[in-house]
Amino acid sequence: MTMSRALDRAEPVLDAVSADVGAVMSPPNAAFFRQPLAPILTAVGVTILVVLAISFARTNGLVAALWGAGGLAMAVWLRGGRGLTYDLGFGVLVVTGVLAGEFLVGNGPALSIMFMAMNLLEIVLAVVLARRFLPGLSVNSVEGLARFLAICAVAPLPSAVLSALALDAMVGADMLDGFRIWWCGHALGFAVIGAFGLALQRRHLLIVRQPGRLVEGATLLGLIGSACYAIFSHLSLPYGFLLMPLLLMMAVRFRVSGIAAALVLVTVMAIGGTMAGHGPYHSFSAENRALLAQLLVLLGYMPILMVAALLEERDRLAERARAGRERAERASAAKSRLLANVAHEIKSPVGGIIGIGELWAGGQLGATSPDQVEMAQMLVKTARQVETLAHDLLDVARAESGAVKVELRPTDVAGLLEDVRRALILKPEAKGLSIEVLVEGDALIAQADSQRLAQVIGNLAGNAVKYGASGGRVLLKTAWADHRVRIEVIDFGPGLSLEKQAQLFEPFNRLGLERSAIEGHGIGLALAKRLTELQGGEIGVVSAPGEGATFWVELAAA
């Protein structure tokens, strides 16, 4: 009890010393002896895998073609915790497990200690590299899986070199064979079993609550196991082509965790059967059989992990996009409600101001001087601008919330343009401008809401008068365009750059003219775009600096 308390008091200091800057997994308690079951079971599993690997997958009597003990130890080590106390305790159990397995299969003390040291070296190296270079210890993304596979390839290299040198010195084993079999077998064990251990999450265990998915997964694993048996057992049937579509189906249906589980099964059966003298490589020597089986799994089947990671990453991106779209829709709805409330709150007091201003200007509130009349008229003019803004805000809010209803019916576009022209020439800013209507074609009847279409064209024409007045002319034109009715509002002013054209239909964007003498609030074009779309039409602009601007609307013909 005293030792345990002392360890607890010292643990923050030990954690600070051993913390790795790249690690992000940190369980609530990192002390090794608080949760001993998983590490102890891992040590037992390591012992069993060592015995199985040496008993059934040896090549030259010493090096195994598949070494799963390292992958198991690495995965549990990474997921179990961190901290100096934890790492030392786990390392001791890994050493115990490997040594127990080596002694059980009959290796002498020197070989057992050498193999134990090499195994511990590569496991520790894999853990350190994963903590440093594998963010979140996740293999469920393309980048994460690529980093993990690179770690699996690098971690066994020093042990492979040192073990090959040691075996050459101790028993005269071929160095090249020892190195390549060790590296391939241990890298494969890290990649297959480690990937499964890191990919498996608590949510995957919920499959037991979904009988359909559980049956589907079990069926796929059964088919994969059956295909492996047919290929790599004494049957040695030439059905290797069957595995690829089954593995792809597992990747598509169950993503990284599913294909990782399937690869564990395939790897064990492929290498085990090959080393027993079965399968497509049975005619080769033991060393060559081992190498060919390893390469088959590494190069033939392991890349499907990347396909699964790509699909899983696509799923996450789609989910983020869906969540982002929902947030944007909620924000847009809140903005629309705010605009509607503001517009309603503005309309009532502004109406009162307009009424008082008109009474004042008309002398109905008492005698007024010419200056007072002018001030009253300016008050009414400004209030009407605010009232127009309130109406536009309300229309924008209604349009974005879907509350604007349009009644599509045959609409005489030529007559509507003439009505817009007559209303436009009455505006003070249109004084001195030539405003014309040009009709090219007969029976230009559009399927539209006449009131909303007049609002759209009125907004476009009003902008043409305000921003293109320097051209001295505004043209309202309509013609046929591929069985649709096209309306153009053309000014001959300064024109627009491509950058400004891209921002035209954004609400409250006046393209830098906020401080100019031209009045406006920057929502007319956004409203025109929305109203056009509600009528099933399209809107756009064609312009270039110094060449004026042509705003166009296309609608279905009636």
Side-chain angles (χ1 to χ4, degrees):
M1 181 66 71
T2 303
M3 181 179 292
S4 176
R5 290 176 179 172
L7 285 173
D8 289 343
R9 287 195 299 270
E11 182 184 304
V13 178
L14 296 174
D15 285 347
V17 173
S18 64
D20 186 271
V21 295
V24 296
M25 292 182 66
S26 181
N29 52 348
F32 175 69
F33 293 106
R34 287 179 181 168
Q35 294 180 336
L37 185 59
I40 292 174
L41 291 178
T42 303
V44 174
V46 166
T47 300
I48 294 172
L49 290 177
V50 168
V51 172
L52 291 175
I54 296 176
S55 300
F56 297 102
R58 280 185 176 183
T59 56
N60 57 3
L62 295 173
V63 181
L66 176 62
W67 193 262
L72 174 64
M74 176 192 68
V76 180
W77 196 332
L78 287 172
R79 299 196 63 164
R82 58 182 299 106
L84 184 58
T85 305
Y86 176 84
D87 290 341
L88 289 176
F90 201 101
V92 169
L93 284 184
V94 169
V95 168
T96 303
V98 175
L99 280 177
E102 295 287 346
F103 286 134
L104 284 174
V105 296
N107 282 338
L111 278 176
S112 297
I113 292 173
M114 187 273 292
F115 282 137
M116 176 274 297
M118 296 302 102
N119 276 275
L120 184 63
L121 171 62
E122 64 186 13
I123 293 170
V124 170
L125 183 57
V127 169
V128 171
L129 290 176
R131 286 177 175 174
R132 178 65 182 86
F133 297 107
L134 189 60
L137 301 179
S138 173
V139 296
N140 294 313
S141 67
V142 173
E143 181 182 358
L145 183 60
R147 290 186 177 208
F148 174 74
L149 294 178
I151 290 168
C152 294
V154 170
L157 282 175
S159 298
V161 172
L162 294 175
S163 64
L165 292 173
L167 289 173
D168 178 57
M170 296 170 69
V171 297
D174 183 87
M175 290 180 57
L176 181 59
D177 283 343
F179 169 80
R180 69 183 186 183
I181 298 300
W182 179 291
W183 179 80
C184 287
H186 289 237
L188 193 56
F190 277 129
V192 174
I193 297 180
F196 177 67
L198 293 180
L200 190 63
Q201 299 176 10
R202 187 180 298 274
R203 60 185 174 87
H204 295 132
L205 302 179
L206 298 179
I207 193 175
V208 297
R209 300 181 183 177
Q210 306 172 32
R213 293 278 288 171
L214 186 60
V215 170
E216 181 185 7
T219 302
L220 277 174
L221 280 177
L223 291 173
I224 290 170
S226 300
C228 287
Y229 181 78
I231 299 165
F232 299 106
S233 72
H234 63 281
L235 300 176
S236 298
L237 298 176
Y239 294 156
F241 61 90
L242 291 176
L243 268 181
M244 189 62 72
L246 290 173
L247 291 175
L248 284 172
M249 191 177 300
M250 179 64 83
V252 169
R253 297 297 297 155
F254 294 93
R255 301 300 192 257
V256 173
S257 59
I259 189 61
L263 284 174
V264 172
L265 176 63
V266 170
T267 303
V268 170
M269 296 187 71
I271 294 182
T274 299
M275 297 312 300
H278 306 308
Y281 310 124
H282 66 275
S283 60
F284 293 86
S285 64
E287 288 79 7
N288 289 330
R289 282 205 309 269
L291 181 62
L292 290 172
Q294 291 168 335
L295 292 177
L296 174 66
V297 177
L298 283 171
L299 303 180
Y301 302 140
M302 286 294 293
I304 302 178
L305 263 176
M306 198 63 72
V307 175
L310 182 62
L311 292 173
E312 194 140 354
E313 192 166 302
R314 187 205 63 177
D315 292 342
R316 284 196 300 274
L317 292 175
E319 178 61 25
R320 290 178 189 172
R322 185 192 62 78
R325 184 174 64 252
E326 290 180 353
R327 287 194 299 269
E329 290 173 352
R330 289 195 296 269
S332 179
K335 181 199 69 176
S336 298
R337 288 195 298 272
L338 176 63
L339 289 178
N341 291 335
V342 169
H344 279 297
E345 292 297 326
I346 289 175
K347 285 174 64 178
S348 297
V350 166
I353 293 172
I354 292 173
I356 294 172
E358 288 177 340
L359 291 175
W360 184 20
Q364 299 180 38
L365 299 181
T368 55
S369 66
D371 289 342
Q372 290 174 330
V373 171
E374 183 178 358
M375 290 175 62
Q377 291 173 343
M378 290 177 60
L379 176 65
V380 171
K381 178 182 177 183
T382 303
R384 289 199 183 280
Q385 291 174 351
V386 176
E387 184 182 43
T388 300
L389 172 60
H391 283 294
D392 285 348
L393 286 174
L394 192 57
D395 282 340
V396 167
R398 288 172 175 169
E400 290 188 348
S401 64
V404 172
K405 305 300 181 184
V406 294
E407 297 181 9
L408 302 181
R409 54 181 179 271
T411 300
D412 179 11
V413 175
L416 185 143
L417 293 184
E418 183 61 30
D419 291 340
V420 171
R421 188 192 71 82
R422 290 174 181 173
L424 201 59
I425 60 177
L426 297 178
K427 293 186 176 183
E429 57 265 32
K431 186 176 181 180
L433 282 178
S434 171
I435 303 175
E436 306 170 16
V437 174
L438 177 62
V439 179
E440 295 183 350
D442 299 325
L444 289 162
I445 309 297
Q447 192 75 5
D449 184 311
S450 58
Q451 180 182 355
R452 296 301 182 182
L453 182 57
Q455 187 176 359
V456 170
I457 304 305
N459 274 335
L460 298 180
N463 282 345
V465 168
K466 287 190 292 185
Y467 299 108
S470 60
R473 182 187 176 203
V474 172
L475 179 63
L476 309 179
K477 177 182 175 182
T478 181
W480 290 106
D482 295 332
H483 306 291
R484 290 166 66 87
V485 178
R486 183 181 178 95
I487 305 169
E488 295 181 352
V489 178
I490 307 170
D491 69 67
F492 300 88
L496 298 162
S497 65
L498 290 176
E499 180 181 1
K500 289 185 176 180
Q501 290 177 42
Q503 306 170 28
L504 267 178
F505 298 100
E506 296 176 1
F508 307 105
N509 191 337
R510 295 196 61 208
L511 307 181
L513 297 175
E514 292 82 358
R515 299 183 181 180
S516 69
I518 301 175
E519 298 174 353
H521 39 69
I523 63 174
L525 288 179
L527 178 59
K529 184 177 188 296
R530 185 62 181 143
L531 293 177
T532 301
E533 291 171 346
L534 286 174
Q535 297 174 77
E538 298 178 13
I539 188 171
V541 63
V542 178
S543 182
E547 298 181 9
T550 299
F551 286 84
W552 56 267
V553 172
E554 285 190 1
L555 297 165

